[in-house]
Amino acid sequence: MRKVFYISDGTAITAEVFGHAVLSQFPVEFDALTIPFVETQKKATEVKQQINDCFITTGERPIVFHSIVKPEIRDIIYSSEGLDYDFLNTFVAPLEQQLGMCAVPALHRTHGKANESYETRIEAINYAMDNDDGQTMKHMDEADLILLGVSRCGKTPSSLYLSMQFGIKAANYPFTEDDMDNLTLHAALKRNKSKLFGLTINPDRLHEIRQSRMRDSRYSSLRQCRMEVKEVEMMYRKERIPFVDTTNHSVEEIATKILEVTGLKRHMF
Amino acid sequence: MRKVFYISDGTAITAEVFGHAVLSQFPVEFDALTIPFVETQKKATEVKQQINDCFITTGERPIVFHSIVKPEIRDIIYSSEGLDYDFLNTFVAPLEQQLGMCAVPALHRTHGKANESYETRIEAINYAMDNDDGQTMKHMDEADLILLGVSRCGKTPSSLYLSMQFGIKAANYPFTEDDMDNLTLHAALKRNKSKLFGLTINPDRLHEIRQSRMRDSRYSSLRQCRMEVKEVEMMYRKERIPFVDTTNHSVEEIATKILEVTGLKRHMF
């Protein structure tokens, strides 16, 4: 299995995301190692040695994705036996020309805390936690978005992702079995109608998920899952609440779809 | 302000992360627009028109970061007036040569659900939620990691990030005022000692954060903050629990530091 190094003087998360996206185009597996915080020449020299040792052991030049800002550190990694993919700098030079200005590389700019919107993000995460699963209706007026849906359709991971990745204050509210006889919107939801977004899910998949939580209960029965999904979807249609089916989608896809439909502004961190 | 488009046939999250990292090297602001799910020629033609209109209005060629897999869609974006930065394909050709194989581009491979480890991730997120803030000690044996610390030092956002980004089952446990007289580890923590990781924070910053939650309370007083931080750090040292100061660090940096020290294996999604 070909060895891959993700190296950075910061968290290496950008290097990972980028390298993972590139390598996922190839139909093979890779053996990846992430080395963050390579901030000194000493550490860079150790990493170079590690890359070179790996070449000697495997007989194949390791693939290296790095995002290192300081030239004196970067040059040490360059001088290793690794195959260097310097994805940041490849694009900086042409952009300098286009923008008519020089880049001013700074450490920790993307995943650091310098960003003034960082507090917005932490507030959004705390908001999503405090307003998960309808545990309180007191703060619904402060929400940017309120996700609705039956139990285990994906509300919690979606709210958390929206807050973490995009700084959106997302509450979520469950419809439970007790609501099913007379499915109406709570007053706090009604007066925030423009913020409502529904999630739905294939009843067979819901049954599977609920079975793994509470096997052979009424809650997890296919009949109950079918009924709840049907009732809730009817309500979405009646109330004209936009909704998305989570069955075959990741949290990234669900979150992106919601942003697309609602036009909510995303922060970037 | 120069206009930037992030375009993809998927979520466009990779394009955003990458473009944001490149552009953050420049000391100016950009006006960014993300367009996900460009999956048809019709939609691509609309996006092309939007880019061209933007060029006419502003007189400057918009910057375009895209990650589009299908050639017939990609070519439409290429033919716009935008300045194209095709960060994925730039690296695919040299890698094909190195690996001696052709890329097999597939839609939704990085942020999609095809990934079999997706369930691991949702489990980890649910675990982090259910085991936040010491609400139960029943599942500590299942944790990959248990974060410790005083109230508001960053435990919750860090646990959630570790679960969301890396699929790590992270519980967290708070030390409260009542614990301070006799700071010992709960039995469930003691028997999972190798999983413990401490967070600490500058008392002045803690005071600020707590003031914004509960102004002028004993809880938020600088004296209380100093005492709690001091006691907890002493305990970390005595019990030889590794710890990190969160004061000047983002969740990405805290999470990465924890992975580096503990050697926990990260999943990638």
Side-chain angles (χ1 to χ4, degrees), chain B residues 64-103:
Chain B
V64 176
F65 289 97
H66 76 77
S67 62
I68 295 181
V69 165
K70 280 194 197 157
E72 65 273 25
I73 310 281
R74 195 164 62 206
D75 289 346
I76 296 171
I77 305 296
Y78 272 146
S79 70
S80 79
E81 298 289 349
L83 293 161
D84 243 287
Y85 297 96
D86 181 351
F87 58 96
L88 283 185
N89 285 295
T90 302
F91 291 93
V92 166
L95 266 164
E96 283 182 324
Q97 217 182 346
Q98 279 299 334
L99 297 171
M101 67 177 77
C102 287

Side-chain angles (χ1 to χ4, degrees), chain A residues 58-210:
Chain A
T58 65
E60 290 183 317
R61 296 179 66 189
I63 294 166
V64 177
F65 289 98
H66 76 77
S67 63
I68 295 180
V69 165
K70 280 193 197 157
E72 66 273 24
I73 309 283
R74 195 164 60 207
D75 289 347
I76 296 171
I77 304 298
Y78 274 144
S79 70
S80 79
E81 297 289 350
L83 292 161
D84 242 289
Y85 297 95
D86 181 350
F87 57 96
L88 284 186
N89 285 294
T90 302
F91 291 93
V92 166
L95 265 164
E96 282 182 324
Q97 216 184 345
Q98 279 300 333
L99 297 171
M101 67 177 78
C102 286
V104 185
L107 280 175
H108 309 307
R109 203 177 271 163
T110 41
H111 288 119
K113 212 173 166 176
N115 207 311
E116 76 260 30
S117 54
Y118 190 77
E119 292 308 318
T120 309
R121 182 189 196 185
I122 294 296
E123 260 178 50
I125 297 171
N126 287 331
Y127 182 87
M129 284 297 288
D130 295 342
N131 297 278
D132 180 54
D133 209 28
Q135 57 190 283
T136 170
M137 304 304 278
K138 276 192 298 189
H139 314 293
M140 289 294 168
D141 297 349
E142 297 155 43
D144 296 321
L145 176 75
I146 304 166
L147 298 183
L148 307 176
V150 303
S151 167
R152 295 289 139 186
C153 71
K155 297 182 301 298
T156 296
S158 303
S159 316
L160 291 175
Y161 188 81
L162 281 157
S163 68
M164 182 79 76
Q165 180 78 9
F166 299 122
I168 287 171
K169 284 184 169 178
N172 75 74
Y173 181 85
F175 295 114
T176 63
E177 193 183 332
D178 297 341
D179 301 321
M180 291 299 151
D181 283 339
N182 180 21
L183 213 51
T184 52
L185 293 173
H186 187 289
L189 300 178
K190 254 188 202 153
R191 71 168 180 272
N192 287 290
K193 189 116 185 245
S194 63
K195 299 174 185 173
L196 303 183
F197 202 102
L199 301 185
T200 191
I201 185 170
N202 176 301
D204 296 316
R205 177 66 189 133
L206 183 62
H207 167 61
E208 251 177 58
I209 298 171
R210 289 188 175 181

Side-chain angles (χ1 to χ4, degrees), chain A residues 6-59:
Chain A
Y6 299 119
I7 303 171
S8 175
D9 39 15
T11 64
I13 289 171
T14 303
E16 282 181 356
V17 170
F18 177 71
H20 188 56
V22 170
L23 295 179
S24 70
Q25 311 278 313
F26 291 91
V28 286
E29 283 202 60
F30 296 90
D31 177 16
L33 180 67
T34 303
I35 310 181
F37 306 123
V38 181
E39 293 170 291
T40 61
Q41 299 195 19
K42 182 168 171 288
K43 180 118 187 230
T45 308
E46 286 167 20
V47 172
K48 176 184 165 179
Q49 192 56 52
Q50 206 174 341
I51 295 168
N52 292 351
D53 288 349
C54 176
F55 175 46
I56 292 168
T57 316
T58 65

